[in-house]
Amino acid sequence: EIQAETTLINFTVTMAGLEDQLLNLVVEKERPDLAALSEDLVRRLNGFTIKMKELEDNILYKLATAEGDITEDVALIEGLEETKRISDDIEQQSSLAKQTQADILVTSEKYRSVANRSSLLFFLMNDLAKIH
């Protein structure tokens, strides 16, 4: 009964999963500048997503609480224009960050062979223990 109500999780390591983890570790060790830049970009992109959601919520709130003819509400129109300006700025920064992230990925892929061999070595050593 308990098993029917729970979800089993498979914690086994796959070769590809270990390779990706090792790739991150190798890049972090060999090119700490790229690793730090990548982490910063992820944080910034997450911040952009949060800010865009806040702007959307703010627009919806202003439109929902607007009274009378919204085309004559100067404060609302100015607020929408400011939101549009901020949104365009975020979009521009986001596209630049994504391009930089793509460049980092290209450089990181140069270390893929090291991560692949390390993953292979792990699984070979693991299988070696099974030999009697």
Side-chain angles (χ1 to χ4, degrees):
E1 182 178 329
I2 292 175
Q3 186 176 4
E5 295 178 13
T6 60
T7 303
L8 296 176
I9 300 173
N10 184 357
F11 286 107
T12 58
V13 176
T14 64
M15 195 164 187
L18 182 59
E19 182 178 325
D20 288 338
Q21 291 177 21
L22 290 171
L23 178 62
N24 289 334
L25 289 173
V26 169
V27 170
E28 194 173 294
K29 189 75 169 173
E30 293 294 320
R31 296 288 306 269
D33 57 321
L34 285 181
L37 182 60
S38 180
E39 287 178 20
D40 182 53
L41 288 174
V42 168
R43 274 192 219 99
R44 286 177 51 199
L45 287 172
N46 287 341
F48 293 156
T49 303
I50 291 168
K51 184 66 176 173
M52 289 297 287
K53 178 70 174 139
E54 289 173 355
L55 291 173
E56 289 173 5
D57 291 345
N58 189 22
I59 289 171
L60 292 174
Y61 175 76
K62 285 180 179 180
L63 290 173
T65 59
E67 296 178 2
D69 187 9
I70 61 173
T71 59
E72 294 177 7
D73 190 347
V74 176
L76 176 63
I77 292 172
E78 288 174 352
L80 291 174
E81 288 173 354
E82 178 66 15
T83 300
K84 174 72 171 141
R85 187 192 60 76
I86 293 171
S87 174
D88 289 343
D89 186 41
I90 287 174
E91 196 171 312
Q92 198 173 46
Q93 290 180 21
S94 180
S95 66
L96 181 62
K98 286 179 182 177
Q99 178 60 42
T100 304
Q101 205 169 32
D103 294 343
I104 290 171
L105 185 62
V106 167
T107 305
S108 296
E109 284 299 315
K110 294 177 182 176
Y111 297 99
R112 175 71 65 183
S113 62
V114 174
N116 182 288
R117 289 183 182 130
S118 300
S119 177
L120 181 62
L121 184 61
F122 171 83
F123 282 100
L124 287 173
M125 294 297 288
N126 194 35
D127 289 344
L128 201 62
K130 296 177 185 174
I131 297 175
H132 291 50

